[in-house]
Amino acid sequence: MSAGTIVLVGTAVFAVGCATGGTGLRDGGPARSDTVARTAPSGSSPADGASASASPSGTPLKKVDPVRLIMADPKVGADVKRDLKPCTGKEYPVDVSYGKVTGGPVADIVVNVLSCADALGRGTYVYRADGAKYENVFADEQPPVYAEIDRGDLVVTKQVYGKSDALAYPSGEDVITYRWDGEKFTEQDRVHSEYSNVVDGGVQPAPATSQKN
């Protein structure tokens, strides 16, 4: 994929592979834990940590090195930084989305840090441009967690586990929608789904109930 090409995915899901430098581009709906896939350009992150390419609207899009961004961020937990290592070669378990979620003139950056072994979200972060730098304006480090941009909102998906739940079969799921109020993200909506505890042939059960708070 050329430097001037941007891949936008209508519905993005958890990644099973590891991004080369974490340069996958997404602007889609909530992540689904029962499906794993990946969309990422070939080629590595720029050596200087940032480059510019054209967005569909013609506005320059400043791409960053997400690993460098995470490692330099004092708000990121020490355990996340310690475990953020390449899965294979130089491929880090990092997903990146560029899009407008704080209303600024420059595209915001959503970074999801995953685990290599099972591709579960270890932490999710939102960075807003502040001059030549980026400010961490949102962080959730309670795994498994995954965030995406959906029509200008930040949508965070969190799996819910009971004491006896296997990793592959959570008891339920919370999908939380956040909106930028000019200074911070505030919760706008929360949908909780509970899964059936009946498992037939190892197939993950479908949601049993869904409710809005």
Side-chain angles (χ1 to χ4, degrees):
M1 180 177 296
S2 65
T5 303
I6 296 176
V7 178
L8 298 180
V9 180
T11 301
V13 293
F14 280 136
V16 68
C18 302
T20 302
T23 56
L25 302 181
R26 286 203 177 100
D27 188 354
R32 288 289 301 271
S33 62
D34 56 346
T35 309
V36 286
R38 170 150 208 89
T39 301
S42 59
S44 59
S45 299
D48 61 359
S51 66
S53 58
S55 69
S57 63
T59 303
L61 174 65
K62 185 178 180 181
K63 296 170 61 178
V64 303
D65 181 338
V67 175
R68 183 177 298 180
L69 194 64
I70 290 293
M71 298 302 288
D73 186 354
K75 294 183 179 180
V76 175
D79 56 336
V80 174
K81 291 182 179 180
R82 182 185 62 248
D83 295 337
L84 182 52
K85 300 175 182 179
C87 296
T88 57
K90 296 182 179 180
E91 298 180 349
Y92 284 84
V94 176
D95 282 355
V96 186
S97 298
Y98 297 87
K100 296 295 186 68
V101 73
T102 69
V106 179
D108 304 299
I109 304 171
V110 177
V111 181
N112 288 285
V113 178
L114 311 175
S115 61
C116 287
D118 46 31
L120 291 181
R122 294 289 313 279
T124 186
Y125 312 89
V126 179
Y127 292 92
R128 187 173 192 265
D130 182 12
K133 299 181 179 180
Y134 282 93
E135 177 188 3
N136 183 331
V137 293
F138 180 90
D140 190 328
E141 294 182 335
Q142 296 182 354
V145 60
Y146 197 92
E148 295 178 289
I149 300 171
D150 185 9
R151 294 180 291 274
D153 290 333
L154 179 68
V155 178
V156 177
T157 302
K158 301 175 69 71
Q159 303 303 309
V160 179
Y161 288 90
K163 292 182 179 180
S164 60
D165 288 344
L167 185 62
Y169 302 111
S171 294
E173 178 182 81
D174 286 329
V175 179
I176 310 165
T177 301
Y178 294 93
R179 190 164 297 161
W180 183 255
D181 67 2
E183 297 182 353
K184 64 183 183 302
F185 284 101
T186 59
E187 183 175 326
Q188 298 296 308
D189 185 60
R190 179 184 293 255
V191 177
H192 175 72
S193 297
E194 294 181 354
Y195 298 138
S196 169
N197 58 4
V198 177
V199 179
D200 183 11
V203 178
Q204 183 170 348
T209 62
S210 179
Q211 61 186 23
K212 286 189 177 183
N213 292 333

